Amino acid sequence: MLEFPNKFDGCPPVHPNLQNSELKVWHGLEGLAADIEAYGKWMRDEAEKRIGHLYPKARNSEGKELTPIAWIWARTVESPNPSWNGHVPLVASWILRPQKLVYQTVKPVVWVEPKIDQDNQTILYNIRTGGEPNYSRTIERGIGTCLATGSTIPNDWIVAETRAGRMRYQLMAVVAEGSIGKEYISVADKTIPNSYNFLSSAITGEIEPGMSENVTRYGLDYFEKLFTHRQLTALATFSQLTLTARKMLEQDISKVDFIVPDSYTEALTALLNIVVSKCADYWSSLCVWYKGSEVVAHVFGRHAIGMVWDFAEANPFSNSSGNWMSKINSVQQTVKGLPTTGRANVFQANALDQVTKYDKSAGVVVTDPPYYNNICYAKISDFFYVWLRKNLKDTYPNEFSTLLTPKDEELIADSRRHGSKTEAKKHFELGMAEFMRGVATSQHPKIPATLFYAYKAQENKDGKVGSTGWDTFLQSIIDSGMAITATWPMRTELSNRSNAIKANALASSVVLVCRPRSKSAPLASRSEFMSALQTELPDAVRLMQSGNIAPVDLPQSAIGPGIGVFSRYAKVVEADGSKMPVSEALALINDVLGEILDGEEAELDAETRFALAWYEQYGFEPESSGNADSIARAKNTSLQGIEDSGIGEARAGKFRLLKREELDPEWSPTTDSRLTIWEATQHMVL
């Protein structure tokens, strides 16, 4: 995205089918984009010749042949109940399409109906339209229910069966391309064993525990085990075809009458292999059928390799979600839109080396650092790395020198890797401190460093609000000799990603703007710090209020001037002579901000101030938990604290204040362990 564009600006395509194109002048990367599509189309056609028979047409109830979009499978295990001699499915949802309104037409719900034959000890599946599923899910939180007998299937039983390689897949439905929309087709019984000796040489690599522990727990401990036989065959075939496409490209370049840059073959080959790795994300047995949009959802809806029990297997040769050409087109459109001005050299290096070994007059630091222990980036990157390394290790020997991604120096607090939480915390704190010292000495003197960060407030057992990662990160910045001159919220997260839909995920990242602190920075006492806050923050907040900042983001933005006051001092000294930590400074800043933003509300408890701010914007209606978390942090409380106080609830990515009639009718201020003025007022009004 940075190196290639300038090299190939205006370069015509080299594929023979494009030589007689009516387009005589190729602007920007139009030529490279056209070659991606042309060679990608050849790969698709060639792959269909080789493995197309593995993806047969489906027949609907009228006998008409249709192209499958996806096959819906359920994982199965042996029932522990001796009265049932056979496997039973582990299904999280029987619904394939919810009832929805499309172009003013109501489409009824579509669901899978299991048919249990007690005499023959078999389970078949029919597609039903309308009505509601007459069976509940058969797997939840790792505990199963035998569909045939109703018996509980303990998690230990499921773990033992899967680790022993006795888990199977059973086909429940086929989704096909109909004349109008999608058709859901019932299938005959089809169960396949879950053995992994077929094409296991396609990729290799053991999956590390950690962020992927819920798949390794169930015996999916090598990357090849994350795919069905058919998926491995497809990925191996397309991967092999990228090498064939490279040879074709070299021959085609030798036949054109214009000069093609030396690295053109390298660029196109890399891009085609990126398409293969993108397909791995959609051609895995960990993909779900996203019933809302009726598409195959990719593996990484969240930052982990999560276990999926009933999964969707995409058809590479369809015209719908998850097909090969859709990924080709995705990369092609990205390439076509890249700017070709400017020059860049991209290299992989330890972040610490970046900020200590290069000329500070030429560098601007912009980084999104690790979030303490939230995400094990290197571990989950292996999912793509194993496919990229397969064909690109000779082209990029430095980047693919190891079988899996290097992990020892990764700056996260991983207790598994470092032996204990204490050692993991030490690794993160020392590494982040060293990195920030490097930033302080290497950044351009006239341009601030910008650091993106997203965190979620949590309460400890004493009810104090904070975040270990956030406090540690801020502390490392200040200890390095940097001053934080501003903090700004940026809407960086998609609200429709799966971890936002089902969890109380954040909508914003916080951008920290940092400059080196003056070497002559003074010390300050606690009272001097408080006096400076009370003097400077009102004007700063009024300036922000006059700008175009959303009300939900104003409290978080306003913390910036406060932490700026704190970080400009060499040290803020407590009455006992100790150094004030960042966590205490944030609490004081929030108190002063509360006085400024809330006026007369400043004397109220934090949960009540939150409720007033929330009610002013949303009333009792549910809205994003990310917004709620942002306001809660600014009011020095948390969503957990608000729920504990009994005035609101956060569920499935949404937060709402409880209505008066929903409050506890037995409530008494004398027994409430977390009394709020808001709740007392609501009871009085009621």
Side-chain angles (χ1 to χ4, degrees):
M1 293 174 70
L2 296 173
E3 272 194 20
F4 292 155
N6 179 268
K7 296 179 180 179
F8 311 130
D9 184 16
C11 182
V14 299
H15 193 278
N17 293 351
L18 300 171
Q19 295 308 302
N20 296 321
S21 171
E22 294 180 1
L23 189 61
K24 300 300 181 183
V25 179
W26 299 82
H27 298 286
L29 298 182
E30 289 176 340
L32 179 59
D35 271 339
I36 292 171
E37 182 179 32
Y39 286 97
K41 175 78 166 52
W42 174 84
M43 288 175 63
R44 181 207 183 278
D45 294 343
E46 184 62 27
E48 192 166 27
K49 292 176 187 175
R50 299 183 185 186
I51 61 172
H53 62 281
L54 299 178
Y55 296 87
K57 300 289 186 181
R59 289 186 182 274
N60 62 13
S61 57
E62 300 171 357
K64 184 178 179 181
E65 276 197 348
L66 301 175
T67 299
I69 295 169
W71 290 263
I72 311 298
W73 298 89
R75 299 185 198 272
T76 69
V77 294
E78 187 83 22
S79 173
N81 190 318
S83 67
W84 182 265
N85 181 28
H87 276 233
V88 288
L90 302 173
V91 177
S93 175
W94 299 103
I95 296 176
L96 297 175
R97 183 188 71 198
Q99 179 176 298
K100 59 183 181 179
L101 185 66
V102 180
Y103 300 117
Q104 299 184 333
T105 300
V106 176
K107 286 192 169 185
V109 64
V110 176
W111 52 284
V112 177
E113 180 185 39
K115 289 291 187 181
I116 304 168
D117 186 339
Q118 295 286 354
D119 294 334
N120 295 311
Q121 303 270 285
T122 59
I123 301 174
L124 300 178
Y125 303 93
N126 290 330
I127 299 298
R128 293 288 300 276
T129 302
E132 292 292 334
N134 48 13
Y135 286 92
S136 301
R137 61 189 298 168
T138 60
I139 183 74
E140 187 167 15
R141 298 184 182 275
I143 299 174
T145 301
C146 175
L147 185 66
T149 66
S151 303
T152 297
I153 308 177
N155 183 255
D156 290 346
W157 176 276
I158 296 174
V159 169
E161 289 293 293
T162 54
R163 287 185 175 178
R166 292 192 290 268
M167 181 170 61
R168 298 179 181 177
Y169 315 129
Q170 188 170 19
L171 187 60
M172 296 195 298
V174 176
V175 188
E177 298 171 350
S179 55
I180 303 177
K182 297 175 176 65
E183 284 197 31
Y184 294 87
I185 301 173
S186 299
V187 295
D189 178 37
K190 186 174 183 182
T191 303
I192 59 175
N194 190 23
S195 57
Y196 296 103
N197 54 3
F198 183 64
L199 269 178
S200 59
S201 61
I203 54 169
T204 186
E206 187 174 5
I207 301 173
E208 288 197 28
M211 290 299 285
S212 309
E213 60 192 331
N214 55 353
V215 295
T216 55
R217 175 175 174 79
Y218 296 107
L220 306 183
D221 49 359
Y222 282 82
F223 282 99
E224 56 263 40
K225 294 185 179 183
L226 304 181
F227 306 91
T228 68
H229 299 166
R230 184 160 60 178
Q231 288 171 330
L232 271 181
T233 302
L235 286 166
T237 300
F238 278 98
S239 180
Q240 179 62 40
L241 285 170
T242 63
L243 302 178
T244 309
R246 177 174 187 139
K247 293 178 181 178
M248 289 178 55
L249 176 63
E250 292 169 347
Q251 294 175 358
D252 294 339
I253 288 175
S254 67
K255 298 174 184 177
V256 297
D257 57 1
F258 53 86
I259 297 175
V260 180
D262 292 339
S263 54
Y264 194 84
T265 301
E266 172 195 324
L268 188 55
T269 303
L271 290 164
L272 291 175
N273 276 281
I274 286 172
V275 176
V276 173
S277 76
K278 284 173 69 71
C279 287
D281 195 18
Y282 283 84
W283 300 353
S284 164
S285 68
L286 301 176
C287 294
V288 300
W289 178 250
Y290 185 46
K291 50 184 177 286
S293 301
E294 299 181 85
V295 297
V296 177
H298 65 134
V299 173
F300 287 98
R302 60 191 182 95
H303 298 119
I305 302 175
M307 187 63 181
V308 173
W309 297 102
D310 46 301
F311 63 90
E313 181 184 11
N315 183 357
F317 308 111
S318 77
N319 294 311
S320 295
S321 65
N323 73 83
W324 167 260
M325 286 307 297
S326 70
K327 305 308 160 205
I328 284 286
N329 293 336
S330 172
V331 172
Q332 177 203 20
Q333 291 302 315
T334 299
V335 167
K336 189 183 292 186
L338 292 175
T340 55
T341 55
R343 225 174 248 284
N345 293 312
V346 180
F347 55 90
Q348 176 180 305
N350 185 309
L352 187 60
D353 294 338
Q354 294 249 32
V355 296
T356 57
K357 295 182 180 179
Y358 299 99
D359 181 6
K360 67 180 181 179
S361 64
V364 177
V365 177
V366 183
T367 186
D368 187 359
Y371 301 159
Y372 196 66
N373 63 349
N374 287 8
I375 303 168
C376 298
Y377 301 92
K379 288 180 181 178
I380 58 178
S381 295
D382 283 337
F383 181 91
F384 300 95
Y385 181 89
V386 292
W387 289 104
L388 292 168
R389 184 180 187 276
K390 188 172 185 295
N391 291 336
L392 296 179
K393 61 181 181 294
D394 293 333
T395 306
Y396 302 104
N398 292 332
E399 285 73 13
F400 296 102
S401 60
T402 54
L403 289 175
L404 296 173
T405 61
K407 299 175 178 67
D408 289 344
E409 292 183 311
E410 184 182 18
L411 196 55
I412 60 171
D414 186 351
S415 58
R416 290 174 179 268
R417 190 176 301 165
H418 299 287
S420 68
K421 288 185 177 180
T422 301
E423 288 300 312
K425 183 174 184 288
K426 181 180 177 182
H427 171 76
F428 181 85
E429 289 179 347
L430 292 176
M432 188 59 73
E434 190 177 3
F435 170 74
M436 289 310 307
R437 285 194 295 271
V439 173
T441 57
S442 67
Q443 75 174 85
H444 195 289
K446 294 184 178 181
I447 303 174
T450 49
L451 299 94
F452 288 70
Y453 207 77
Y455 72 99
K456 203 168 180 179
Q458 296 175 333
E459 293 196 4
N460 62 21
K461 61 183 179 181
D462 299 320
K464 292 184 178 180
V465 179
S467 167
T468 303
W470 174 242
D471 291 353
T472 302
F473 182 52
L474 285 178
Q475 193 71 61
S476 68
I477 294 173
I478 293 169
D479 290 347
S480 71
M482 302 279 280
I484 299 169
T485 59
T487 61
W488 294 93
M490 292 190 70
R491 295 296 167 133
T492 57
E493 311 300 330
L494 291 173
S495 61
N496 64 345
R497 71 201 193 285
S498 67
N499 66 315
I501 293 169
K502 297 182 179 179
N504 303 321
L506 299 182
S508 299
S509 293
V510 179
V511 182
L512 306 176
V513 185
C514 308
R515 293 179 184 272
R517 186 167 53 244
S518 170
K519 293 182 179 179
S520 59
L523 299 178
S525 65
R526 182 187 181 99
S527 60
E528 288 173 329
F529 171 53
M530 286 294 294
S531 177
L533 286 177
Q534 292 165 341
T535 301
E536 299 180 31
L537 255 59
D539 288 341
V541 171
R542 279 192 285 272
L543 179 63
M544 290 182 177
Q545 288 174 325
S546 67
N548 188 25
I549 298 178
V552 69
D553 290 326
L554 183 60
Q556 187 61 49
S557 304
I559 290 176
I563 203 69
V565 172
F566 178 72
S567 62
R568 77 179 178 217
Y569 296 115
K571 182 165 59 174
V572 176
V573 182
E574 296 278 21
D576 62 359
S578 62
K579 178 181 177 181
M580 180 183 288
V582 166
S583 55
E584 179 64 18
L586 286 172
L588 295 175
I589 291 166
N590 273 304
D591 288 342
V592 176
L593 285 174
E595 296 173 10
I596 298 168
L597 293 172
D598 302 334
E600 294 178 353
E601 302 165 9
E603 297 301 318
L604 301 175
D605 56 271
E607 288 73 30
T608 296
R609 287 191 282 123
F610 165 87
L612 285 165
W614 183 267
Y615 184 80
E616 183 180 9
Q617 296 181 59
Y618 305 118
F620 292 109
E621 296 301 313
E623 274 295 336
S624 163
S625 290
N627 288 351
D629 190 87
S630 182
I631 296 176
R633 281 181 278 130
K635 302 297 182 183
N636 204 30
T637 184
S638 67
L639 292 191
Q640 176 189 327
I642 293 160
E643 288 195 280
D644 289 347
S645 69
I647 64 173
E649 67 172 8
R651 298 288 184 274
K654 297 285 187 180
F655 173 85
R656 69 183 184 94
L657 288 172
L658 296 178
K659 296 179 181 179
R660 292 167 192 143
E661 56 271 20
E662 295 178 290
L663 297 174
D664 181 7
E666 304 298 322
W667 174 85
S668 168
T670 60
T671 57
D672 191 340
S673 61
R674 192 156 182 162
L675 183 64
T676 67
I677 300 298
W678 175 268
E679 186 171 17
T681 304
Q682 299 310 311
H683 280 289
M684 291 171 66
V685 172
L686 183 61

